[in-house]
Amino acid sequence: MAFWLHPKYYKTIQYYFMKDLGAPALFWINQKQKKRRTRRHSPYLGPPLQCARRLREIMTRHYYLARFAKSAKPVAWVTSGAPVELLHVFNFYTIYPENHGAICGSRRMGPELCNQAEREGYSQDLCSYARIDLGHLFSGKTPAGKLPKPDVLFCSNNICQTVLYWFKELSYYWHIPLILFDTPYNFLGIHEKDIQYMCSQFQEMIPELERISGHGFSLSRFQEIIGIARETSLTWGRVLETMKHSPAPMTIFEAFVHIAPIVSLRGLPVCLDYYRILLKELEERVEKGIAAIKNERRRLMWDNIAIWFKLRDWAELFAERGYNFVAATYTNAWAETIHHLNERHPFESMAKAYSLVILNNNLNHRLKLMEKIIQEYKIDGLVIHSDRSCKPYSIGQYGLKRLLTERLGIKSVLIESDMTDFRVYSEDQARINLEAFFEALEN
Amino acid sequence: MTRKEYLIKQKDEKGRKLFGIFPAQYPREILWAMNVVPVEIWDPPLKVSHANAHVQPYICSVVKLGLELILQGKCDDLDGFLFPHTCDSIQNLASIVYNYLGLEKPCYFFYHPKAPYRDSSRLYYLEQLKVLVSRMEKQLGPLDLSVLKQCIERGQQVASVLRDLYGLRARGELKASNSEFYQVIRQGEYFHPDDFLPLLEEFLAASKGQADSGPSVILSGILPNPMGILTFLDNLGIRVAYDDFMIGSRRLLIPPSDLPDPFEQLTESYFRMPPCTTRASPIAQRRDYLFNMIDDATGVKGVIFYMVKFCEPEWFDIPNLVDELKTREIPALVLEIELNQEFSGQVATRLEAFMEMIGI
Ligand code: SF4
Ligand code: SF4
């Protein structure tokens, strides 16, 4: 009698085989090749973080395994601010198009992919993460190998409404469900009725997620995941706090890269383990007096998303002058509210944690937060990235700049750019503005 | 009477308060019932200068003009502001006005749910109405529910005449030109319903009659500004048979509800409104809405998307809507505009080319 396995089981076996053997092997080969192409290390920067290797391994594996996830696991595409803890209960493999956009941005693929979307009629004025994602959809191009087609789109408008418009497109193209976690904006506070509304939404989406994933909801599993996510967020917060030390053991440019697991793998043990290792390394650096840049003379803060295509250049440009970025509103976002998570009140605490994030909060909150960071991290200067793509992050920055200067006398500069689409970035203009800023910092 | 004269009269003679209302969806009946005239701020006829110090060049002109109006001190007669949670840009504008500008005027916010397909959204919307009322009561005194019911009734009468007007226009049974039509319906952006209803009825009575038997188009987008597009179409003898404007059919054609509780009535009507990007309506709903318009109107030859630059909610939908129209062999033209700019020769050329293509 012939013995048949349902194709789904082949996929599952293949997935776990690749997870345990294929991905580690691939990473080993990659590392070998990398060693042969050793990169020049800037003389102004301190020694690179040892953890960087582990980070690459985790993220490479995550994207590599994504190719085998389809049919082995339910797949969800998720926005960076969505309460992914809930999806892990149903065993979803999660892909973050924004993180993918950042990867494309740092590989300088932004304009190419945006162009693909623009050719299909999408305006150049739309968020470039969305355009990159749509460009990938139309062309299949990605530096990540291959992204699995999702079974569901999971979106929260706590970071912007843009993700909702964008995911509506994906839902339309693929005829797949879009589940929205709608978070009332914090104009005057998040109140009991808002929390109830968000909790009701969780109750409404659970049966949908059960149906799509084929897995039942387990409260104890959910609580366990929430516990991990909370601990991870706290650990990430402690990672960032090591930069309060002067000289700081890490630069914000490194933090922009090391943020990837908490964005993409939040709630999974691998993520928590990673930040524990990173924290240990940073604490050791502080103890031994190992600084991220050789001669830290001024401490800076960054506002808004990173300019991914300038990350390396700017790390050197600032380090050369003894300027170190030690804080950013962006990296802080994943430490600021997730600690509200509480296993005993999983839904309520999740509603709170996710609706109070920086971009769902009024500008007064942002102003106060920045004042606090400036004081706690002993910041000398502020670089504000006015990100053409990101309206919720950028509208109000002119006022923030003015008020922070008035209240704290802080030196600041505003750079007009985009996080990935360098067609709207002017190197000359940025240089002129930065030179004036550098001069102000020295006086 | 100018808009300003009308509003001053409302204040001085009728003892009504004036609230500046930013786009787009809000429960106007509640304001009427609290003796407030909602004065909508879409496209004040100003040149942007002061607002440039507060918002970046890549922000839409609805936001910039609204802010400009405040910064130029032209809102002194207003007694408060209301900001519905329309999009990221209005959201942050609200925060700029409330948190940074230090205006000594009450600001109200209205969050409407973005997932209009669940029970929780309905319940939340209803509660948001009550939250808004309880906040406004502190400034305006208690809301009388029987007055609210009357105002809802009045709103339904307005919507009913508007539906008649839209219907006649779609069938080519309204003589008024495109410009006249929109000039009249846009007065509802600041008229009290007691004045707007007779105005609409008068307009309907005077304009009923066969329109010139020309071809027609459908306009979609936020609003018809610059008005030049309407006169341009008038000059070519083209009727705007229907619109999918945010200032137009999407907000004005409020479906009636006869539920006994006024808050439930408002909620039911809201969830039965035509699809709108600012409520995150699915693309398929918007497509079907457009198709229905095309089917219901006579002589529709094409759809013109009249798009405000930098308006994310609207621009995302465009490629799919254009494609869907193509499948029905309905040509579509997408025009990008900045409010209050001259109706440019370039736009006119593109319109002419489009008209030629559709055989007009
Ligand atoms: S608009 Fe801003 S928050 Fe939203 S996806 Fe784009 S970059 Fe992210
Ligand atoms: S035009 Fe678009 S972006 Fe501007 S306020 Fe209106 S909905 Fe928002």
Side-chain angles (χ1 to χ4, degrees):
Chain A
M1 194 172 64
F3 176 68
W4 295 104
L5 260 186
H6 190 281
K8 184 180 160 198
Y9 296 110
Y10 284 119
K11 290 276 181 188
T12 311
I13 292 167
Q14 187 187 31
Y15 171 81
Y16 285 103
F17 174 80
M18 295 319 287
K19 180 171 178 265
D20 297 328
L21 295 169
L26 175 90
F27 186 73
W28 185 80
I29 295 165
N30 267 350
Q31 281 305 112
K32 285 271 164 222
Q33 285 171 347
K34 271 223 166 71
K35 265 187 195 146
R36 271 180 244 135
R37 317 178 237 122
T38 42
R39 262 199 210 133
R40 179 188 69 88
H41 186 71
S42 163
Y44 305 103
L45 292 168
L49 287 165
Q50 301 285 314
C51 256
R53 186 180 189 278
R54 176 72 184 134
L55 175 74
R56 271 199 304 278
E57 190 181 327
I58 292 172
M59 294 314 294
T60 309
R61 181 179 154 119
H62 177 65
Y63 277 102
Y64 179 67
L65 275 181
R67 301 172 203 187
F68 304 96
K70 191 71 194 163
S71 303
K73 279 177 146 231
V75 176
W77 282 23
V78 188
T79 59
S80 65
V84 69
E85 292 80 1
L86 188 61
L87 293 189
H88 290 316
V89 181
F90 302 96
N91 202 25
F92 275 98
Y93 199 91
T94 53
I95 294 289
Y96 286 76
E98 290 153 80
N99 177 251
H100 177 246
I103 294 172
C104 296
S106 43
R107 306 268 174 100
R108 300 183 67 83
M109 285 178 70
E112 182 190 346
L113 287 165
C114 286
N115 233 319
Q116 297 276 354
E118 287 155 24
R119 257 184 255 147
E120 298 294 324
Y122 290 92
S123 161
Q124 199 185 336
D125 297 324
L126 300 176
C127 165
S128 64
Y129 280 168
R131 278 179 291 141
I132 284 179
D133 189 44
L134 291 162
H136 154 260
L137 179 108
F138 300 128
S139 66
K141 282 185 195 154
T142 163
K146 188 173 186 296
L147 300 182
K149 188 183 153 200
D151 301 299
V152 67
L153 299 155
F154 191 57
C155 165
S156 177
N157 54 350
N158 58 350
I159 49 168
C160 61
Q161 309 311 303
T162 303
V163 284
L164 179 50
Y165 315 140
W166 160 14
F167 274 38
K168 254 174 39 177
E169 297 298 304
L170 299 178
S171 164
Y172 194 72
Y173 281 114
W174 280 325
H175 305 289
I176 52 168
L178 162 61
I179 296 183
L180 169 69
F181 177 51
D182 181 22
T183 51
Y185 182 75
N186 184 9
F187 282 121
L188 299 170
I190 294 293
H191 299 285
E192 196 43 46
K193 298 277 184 214
D194 304 315
I195 302 280
Q196 277 170 15
Y197 169 48
M198 290 183 272
C199 289
S200 310
Q201 292 181 61
F202 289 133
Q203 298 308 328
E204 286 165 329
M205 60 179 78
I206 284 174
E208 275 183 86
L209 291 169
E210 284 182 326
R211 184 182 51 77
I212 296 163
S213 68
H215 291 270
F217 175 72
S218 152
L219 182 63
S220 57
R221 174 89 182 109
F222 184 38
Q223 287 169 315
E224 186 192 334
I225 292 165
I226 285 220
I228 296 173
R230 181 176 190 278
E231 198 49 40
T232 310
S233 168
L234 289 171
T235 312
W236 172 244
R238 287 199 280 272
V239 162
L240 297 179
E241 277 173 17
T242 61
M243 288 191 280
K244 282 185 182 169
H245 195 271
S246 184
M250 176 164 79
T251 78
I252 219 66
F253 295 117
E254 288 169 299
F256 283 152
V257 178
H258 288 262
I259 203 174
I262 198 160
V263 176
S264 305
L265 303 166
R266 196 168 61 250
L268 299 179
V270 64
C271 182
L272 174 57
D273 292 346
Y274 175 69
Y275 288 114
R276 282 181 174 152
I277 303 171
L278 175 61
L279 178 62
K280 191 160 170 279
E281 184 179 348
L282 292 171
E283 284 172 346
E284 277 170 16
R285 277 185 163 222
V286 170
E287 228 167 76
K288 292 179 187 156
I290 302 173
I293 70 165
K294 292 268 171 65
N295 175 25
E296 182 183 295
R297 296 190 305 114
R298 297 278 186 275
R299 295 164 63 79
L300 307 180
M301 177 176 177
W302 181 274
D303 183 48
N304 213 325
I305 302 170
I307 304 177
W308 296 112
F309 54 90
K310 293 304 291 178
L311 223 53
R312 272 185 70 83
D313 294 353
W314 282 25
E316 289 185 20
L317 176 80
F318 283 84
E320 191 183 325
R321 287 163 174 80
Y323 301 156
N324 191 15
F325 280 93
V326 296
T329 49
Y330 177 63
T331 46
N332 188 61
W334 277 268
E336 198 191 344
T337 64
I338 298 176
H339 63 266
H340 283 301
L341 291 178
N342 179 341
E343 295 96 310
R344 277 179 294 145
H345 309 287
F347 294 111
E348 291 84 351
S349 68
M350 200 153 74
K352 218 169 167 185
Y354 280 93
S355 59
L356 288 173
V357 296
I358 183 168
L359 291 182
N360 204 45
N361 247 306
N362 58 64
L363 291 167
N364 203 29
H365 166 270
R366 196 167 340 155
L367 181 66
K368 284 192 186 140
L369 174 74
M370 287 172 81
E371 277 183 333
K372 183 169 168 271
I373 296 177
I374 288 169
Q375 277 153 358
E376 285 181 0
Y377 285 73
K378 301 193 171 59
I379 302 289
D380 304 299
L382 173 64
V383 176
I384 297 174
H385 168 207
S386 163
D387 185 345
R388 191 183 166 91
S389 270
C390 190
K391 299 191 171 57
Y393 221 145
S394 303
I395 304 179
Q397 283 179 318
Y398 290 4
L400 274 171
K401 183 177 186 304
R402 195 174 51 244
L403 288 167
L404 287 170
T405 309
E406 274 168 28
R407 292 186 189 189
L408 305 176
I410 188 138
K411 309 281 191 323
S412 60
V413 63
L414 189 132
I415 304 290
E416 294 287 355
S417 182
D418 184 273
M419 66 260 179
T420 65
D421 187 352
F422 51 78
R423 291 172 298 176
V424 299
Y425 168 79
S426 157
E427 183 73 37
D428 291 345
Q429 192 55 52
R431 285 284 170 159
I432 292 168
N433 293 349
L434 284 178
E435 286 307 332
F437 175 60
F438 294 155
E439 213 177 294
L441 276 178
E442 292 307 323
N443 296 325
Chain B
M1 203 187 318
T2 65
R3 177 172 165 131
K4 179 146 176 121
E5 284 163 356
Y6 174 81
L7 293 174
I8 296 298
K9 212 167 145 207
Q10 289 295 307
K11 230 178 144 105
D12 294 347
E13 290 176 19
K14 304 274 167 82
R16 290 177 176 141
K17 299 250 186 273
L18 306 177
F19 273 22
I21 316 284
F22 280 82
Q25 315 266 5
Y26 67 99
R28 72 201 74 191
E29 298 83 351
I30 287 180
L31 283 102
W32 296 335
M34 298 186 91
N35 207 25
V36 172
V37 179
V39 184
E40 298 180 4
I41 302 171
W42 290 87
D43 53 346
L46 303 170
K47 208 172 161 346
V48 174
S49 58
H50 302 56
N52 292 331
H54 295 262
V55 290
Q56 287 90 335
Y58 48 83
I59 307 306
C60 79
S61 39
V62 169
V63 162
K64 280 196 191 150
L65 287 167
L67 187 56
E68 187 68 31
L69 190 79
I70 296 176
L71 295 169
Q72 286 193 18
K74 293 188 190 295
C75 292
D76 293 352
D77 296 325
L78 300 181
D79 303 289
F81 290 101
L82 173 66
F83 297 91
H85 189 268
T86 300
C87 60
D88 292 325
S89 302
I90 292 280
Q91 166 196 292
N92 280 31
L93 168 73
S95 198
I96 288 178
V97 173
Y98 184 64
N99 297 126
Y100 290 173
L101 296 189
L103 296 183
E104 278 167 10
K105 286 188 196 293
C107 289
Y108 299 95
F109 308 98
F110 182 65
Y111 191 86
H112 49 82
K114 304 297 182 297
Y117 43 81
R118 296 193 188 117
D119 291 346
S120 60
S121 322
R122 281 166 197 270
L123 186 61
Y124 184 69
Y125 183 81
L126 191 138
E127 274 160 358
Q128 282 303 99
L129 295 177
K130 292 184 178 170
V131 168
L132 179 67
V133 167
S134 71
R135 289 199 178 128
M136 292 203 308
E137 279 180 332
K138 293 197 183 103
Q139 181 192 359
L140 305 163
L143 166 73
D144 182 335
L145 286 185
S146 61
V147 178
L148 177 58
K149 278 185 123 302
Q150 286 163 18
C151 290
I152 293 173
E153 175 71 36
R154 188 37 65 105
Q156 291 189 350
Q157 287 163 354
V158 170
S160 160
V161 183
L162 281 164
R163 261 194 304 279
D164 288 347
L165 279 167
Y166 267 84
L168 290 170
R169 199 158 178 77
R171 296 190 299 273
E173 294 165 10
L174 201 75
K175 287 182 295 192
S177 68
N178 299 317
S179 324
E180 284 164 346
F181 181 77
Y182 285 96
Q183 256 158 20
V184 170
I185 67 161
R186 290 205 65 189
Q187 293 195 52
E189 289 165 20
Y190 64 96
F191 261 42
H192 189 275
D194 288 353
D195 300 322
F196 191 45
L197 186 60
L199 178 94
L200 286 177
E201 284 167 340
E202 207 179 295
F203 176 63
L204 187 131
S207 324
K208 227 175 187 171
Q210 205 56 44
D212 291 343
S213 61
S216 65
V217 292
I218 283 167
L219 291 184
S220 177
I222 303 289
L223 74 172
N225 176 318
M227 287 286 270
I229 183 156
L230 300 174
T231 23
F232 184 87
L233 295 173
D234 280 331
N235 293 340
L236 289 177
I238 297 166
R239 177 170 46 96
V240 177
Y242 218 103
D243 73 56
D244 167 43
F245 277 136
M246 205 180 282
I247 56 105
S249 78
R250 283 193 227 172
R251 285 185 334 137
L252 300 180
L253 307 185
I254 306 161
S257 157
D258 48 16
L259 290 174
D261 177 80
F263 290 102
E264 284 183 4
Q265 241 181 321
L266 288 174
T267 305
E268 188 182 55
S269 291
Y270 173 78
F271 283 95
R272 288 173 50 212
M273 297 261 277
C276 181
T277 50
T278 68
R279 297 204 321 269
S281 304
I283 298 168
Q285 271 182 24
R286 184 124 179 254
R287 172 202 63 199
D288 295 346
Y289 183 60
L290 276 174
F291 284 177
N292 286 340
M293 278 183 211
I294 294 166
D295 294 340
D296 290 351
T298 54
V300 176
K301 296 278 194 216
V303 176
I304 300 171
F305 292 95
Y306 203 54
M307 305 288 294
V308 175
K309 190 162 171 62
F310 302 119
C311 176
E312 283 214 335
E314 290 290 298
W315 278 102
F316 265 102
D317 277 6
I318 291 301
N320 276 315
L321 292 178
V322 170
D323 277 358
E324 290 287 2
L325 287 164
K326 246 187 229 158
T327 62
R328 294 254 327 235
E329 296 183 358
I330 305 284
L333 172 69
V334 182
L335 293 174
E336 181 176 76
I337 48 124
E338 288 269 16
L339 301 181
N340 295 352
Q341 303 283 314
E342 283 292 300
F343 186 69
S344 73
Q346 198 199 4
V347 172
T349 312
R350 290 198 58 208
L351 269 168
E352 272 161 4
F354 181 67
M355 297 308 165
E356 210 166 284
M357 188 185 95
I358 61 181
I360 295 175

